[in-house]
Amino acid sequence: MHGWQFAANFLILRVISYGIDLHRTRTAIQRIGDEKREESIANQPVRDENHISPAAIADYDFVHFMTYVVYAPLYLAGPIVSFQDFILYDRQSQTKEPLGLYALRFAVLFILMEWCTARFPVFALVSSGLMSHMRISDVAVTFYVLLKLMWLKFTTLWRFFRLWSLADGVFVDENMERCMSNNFSLEQFWRGWHSSFNKWIIRYMYIPWGGRAYRWVSVWFIFLFVALWHDVEWKLVVWGLLNGSFYVLENAVKWVYAKAIVDKSSKKLLIPAFVDHIICSVAGAVYIMVLMVINLVGYALGTGTFHLLQQKVFSQDGLETFVGSVYFLSVGVSIMISLRQYKLCTP
């Protein structure tokens, strides 16, 4: 049975959003000091993708507050939407997303999830305690499929509630921006996974705490908040610390690498482009494995993940599996990089 406390996590985010948006609206009105400003705000059309119009102060009443925090389509699991964005659709229903096509996409995804969970019972396998008796190659495949099915499960869940919200006239952002297999960076991964939560964090935590100028410090508090928001468990605290550590490491390595391979005066690469491509592909493959371990710690095996890997990896079979995995993933990352470069070059 779905516990009431799980929905409370999302309710807290909506209450915080309402309070901060109300404070910002009052501050803006006081700073401008023009009563006509409030009327112009109230009459503004629904925002486009890159513009956010603040709600009128009159919209911050008890009825709108309760409508927002207990809105049925988004109550249990999101996606998360700020109060300012939500209230705009109280005046005008969304027309940006066609319902028929999105409903078809959801139906295909739901059928795929049902088939995969019946065909590959990896969730039962992980909870059975048999992992320690399996070969490292089998463990690696199980881990990989497990994380893909977790992505599929969450994507199906969030798309159902988003479809419900769209049908009711309220536009909310897609929570999974790209397939989990189309990621090779921790930073980019968390931008695309639970994207609406990431945007909430940027809006109410990351930017108020100094943005990019203080990201090396704020990232620790943000990941700790995210961990405790999910649940108060040691494995999630460890998960948050691991994410913070590897986020800092990833950005530091990117900065050092960019300084080392680019000539300051000509802005050209100091190494052949294909060598740079190979280095980035291998690095991306390693970080995919890092992401797998981090998420297994937080959402599957807990800190027992480290003990299991210690048992399995340091052996001939473990070394062969590691090398094979790096090669397999490097090929995939190479394709991802090439596709991204192609999109940048395509008008």
Side-chain angles (χ1 to χ4, degrees), residues 7-189:
N9 293 357
F10 292 91
L11 188 145
I12 289 171
L13 298 182
R14 289 191 284 270
V15 170
I16 293 173
S17 174
Y18 177 89
I20 295 179
D21 286 354
L22 173 59
H23 171 73
R24 289 175 176 175
T25 300
R26 284 175 172 171
T27 302
I29 292 174
Q30 291 172 1
R31 184 174 61 250
I32 295 171
D34 185 356
E35 294 182 358
K36 292 184 178 180
R37 170 65 176 171
E38 187 179 343
E39 290 183 18
S40 66
I41 290 173
N43 295 326
Q44 282 184 8
V46 175
R47 69 175 177 89
D48 60 31
E49 285 295 317
N50 301 311
H51 179 72
I52 299 175
S53 301
I57 195 68
D59 290 327
Y60 291 90
D61 56 22
F62 182 73
V63 173
H64 283 121
F65 169 75
M66 292 302 298
T67 302
Y68 172 60
V69 298
V70 297
Y71 183 58
L74 309 179
Y75 181 74
L76 290 179
I80 302 162
V81 60
S82 70
F83 178 79
Q84 288 186 352
D85 291 348
F86 175 82
I87 202 63
L88 293 175
Y89 298 103
D90 184 52
R91 310 185 194 104
Q92 178 180 341
S93 297
Q94 75 87 23
T95 56
K96 292 189 288 185
E97 187 99 35
L99 281 178
L101 179 61
Y102 195 77
L104 178 62
R105 292 173 61 194
F106 164 73
V108 172
L109 201 68
F110 178 79
I111 294 171
L112 179 62
M113 183 195 68
E114 289 293 309
W115 183 83
C116 287
T117 50
R119 185 79 173 178
F120 309 107
V122 289
F123 293 104
L125 181 60
V126 169
S127 60
S128 68
L130 296 175
M131 300 289 286
S132 58
H133 303 288
M134 296 167 57
R135 297 192 316 161
I136 182 60
S137 55
D138 297 328
V139 171
V141 172
T142 302
F143 280 0
Y144 188 80
V145 175
L146 172 69
L147 292 174
K148 303 309 169 185
L149 288 184
M150 285 178 63
W151 174 87
L152 185 59
K153 179 186 72 173
F154 283 120
T155 303
T156 305
L157 174 73
W158 282 324
R159 284 193 177 176
F160 169 77
F161 289 118
R162 184 171 185 262
L163 176 62
W164 185 2
S165 177
L166 293 174
D168 193 47
V170 176
F171 180 88
V172 291
D173 292 313
E174 183 72 77
N175 256 345
M176 296 297 198
E177 293 186 346
R178 60 169 50 140
C179 177
M180 185 178 178
S181 294
N182 192 15
N183 285 284
F184 56 90
S185 160
L186 186 144
E187 181 180 11
Q188 295 299 321
F189 174 81

Side-chain angles (χ1 to χ4, degrees), residues 186 215-217 219-220 242-254 287:
L186 186 144
R215 68 185 185 278
W216 306 106
V217 177
V219 64
W220 301 96
L242 288 172
N243 271 296
S245 301
F246 283 103
Y247 175 90
V248 171
L249 178 62
E250 176 182 323
N251 282 273
V253 170
K254 283 181 179 178
Y287 246 74

